[in-house]
Amino acid sequence: MMSVHAPQPDDATTTGSCCRRCGTCCHKGGPALHLQDRSLLMSGKIPVKRLFTIRQGEPAYDNVRGVIIPAQTDILKIKGIAGDTGMCRFFDPVRCACRIYAFRPAQCRVLTCWNTAAIRGMYDRDRLTRGHLLDRPAGLRDLVDEHQAKCDYRQVAYLAQRIRKGPDRLAAVDSLMAVIRYDHSLRQVTVERTRLDAELLDFLFGRPISTMMQMFHLRLAKVDGVVTINEAV
Ligand code: SF4
Ligand code: SF4
């Protein structure tokens, strides 16, 4: 049982030299996917709706470097059991076992918590991206590209900085709210018009921007029925 997380040297699991199948790594989260995992998605062994996307430019924790940095490419990850964080959704806590062990992703095959050299070597290479999978479901590539352009995390970061520090804070709030509304409505319209399984949305468009404000030291607040954005305290 493995995980996306490259365990740190002080992990309790790093003693010994073989897998004790304790499940600690799977508890920490699901793996990110690489090109060699594409066939698992295309064959349906791992359903695409079980993934979420960290979009290019989105602030993401780099497990190897130990810092939060903008993602250089899409990072596709297996969802957690409760949404997009936490224990890998393919981990069976009762049996302390991987439900897809025979076709677990490459990171899970490579990770040995007592020696993280192999996972560090592959960690940011040959990432699988949405573009590698977007023939399934068909016809959605244009929507994804349009969303990526209009909801670019570089723009979100720029607006967040202006909200926190700029003299034109109110204009920046309006601009960021427009991005958040677009992100929200595109998800709704996509499900309504294409009858798409809503569980695919976090793969297609990443997690809703409205849920990511803490990454930018901001928070959404509703005052007298009006949603606005404030600096997080
Ligand atoms: S790789 Fe390490 S953390 Fe993961 S199940 Fe095996 S012993 Fe536990
Ligand atoms: S896919 Fe299986 S081995 Fe990999 S993190 Fe999830 S439960 Fe663990």
Side-chain angles (χ1 to χ4, degrees):
M1 293 154 286
M2 314 287 177
S3 114
V4 64
H5 294 272
Q8 299 304 302
D10 60 352
D11 271 9
T13 54
T14 54
T15 56
S17 59
C18 65
C19 181
R20 293 181 287 111
R21 300 201 165 199
C22 66
T24 299
C25 52
C26 309
H27 268 268
K28 289 181 175 179
L33 303 182
H34 296 262
L35 285 178
Q36 53 266 52
D37 298 316
R38 186 170 181 264
S39 62
L40 298 176
L41 281 304
M42 300 308 281
S43 65
K45 286 189 169 73
I46 297 179
V48 175
K49 69 181 182 180
R50 298 305 182 211
L51 307 182
F52 73 97
T53 300
I54 295 174
R55 294 195 283 119
Q56 185 177 26
E58 182 174 335
Y61 186 74
D62 184 309
N63 289 303
V64 168
R65 297 178 182 88
V67 291
I68 294 176
I69 53 175
Q72 298 299 303
T73 66
D74 280 354
I75 302 174
L76 306 189
K77 291 189 62 171
I78 289 178
K79 291 175 179 172
I81 280 180
D84 55 17
T85 58
M87 184 194 306
C88 175
R89 70 176 305 126
F90 290 120
F91 183 66
D92 180 344
V94 175
R95 293 190 303 123
C96 194
C98 174
R99 291 192 178 95
I100 57 166
Y101 189 78
F103 36 91
R104 64 201 187 284
Q107 282 195 354
C108 305
R109 294 176 183 274
V110 162
L111 176 64
T112 50
C113 64
W114 58 93
N115 180 351
T116 57
I119 187 108
R120 287 171 190 270
M122 73 174 291
Y123 183 71
D124 55 3
R125 291 194 188 154
D126 298 330
R127 295 270 197 204
L128 193 66
T129 70
R130 288 173 291 179
H132 293 121
L133 300 175
L134 272 176
D135 288 335
R136 285 167 55 86
L140 290 167
R141 185 183 287 263
D142 289 349
L143 266 184
V144 166
D145 288 346
E146 183 183 317
H147 175 267
Q148 181 68 11
K150 291 190 175 173
C151 299
D152 191 323
Y153 269 109
R154 287 171 299 188
Q155 176 70 359
V156 173
Y158 169 66
L159 292 171
Q161 187 179 37
R162 280 173 51 195
I163 291 170
R164 292 195 312 270
K165 295 182 180 162
D168 57 346
R169 181 182 176 281
L170 290 180
V173 166
D174 284 348
S175 297
L176 185 50
M177 285 302 300
V179 173
I180 289 171
R181 278 194 294 271
Y182 172 83
D183 176 58
H184 179 72
S185 65
L186 183 68
R187 290 165 198 269
Q188 277 191 319
V189 167
T190 301
V191 169
E192 286 166 10
R193 294 199 182 155
T194 67
R195 297 176 181 245
L196 186 90
D197 184 341
E199 286 194 81
L200 284 165
L201 290 175
D202 286 358
F203 159 71
L204 289 171
F205 305 124
R207 293 163 292 185
I209 295 175
S210 60
T211 67
M212 302 301 291
M213 288 297 96
Q214 76 280 2
M215 298 297 285
F216 301 94
H217 309 290
L218 298 174
R219 67 183 171 86
L220 287 175
K222 203 169 191 179
V223 180
D224 297 333
V226 178
V227 178
T228 187
I229 303 170
N230 296 304
E231 190 167 353
V233 288

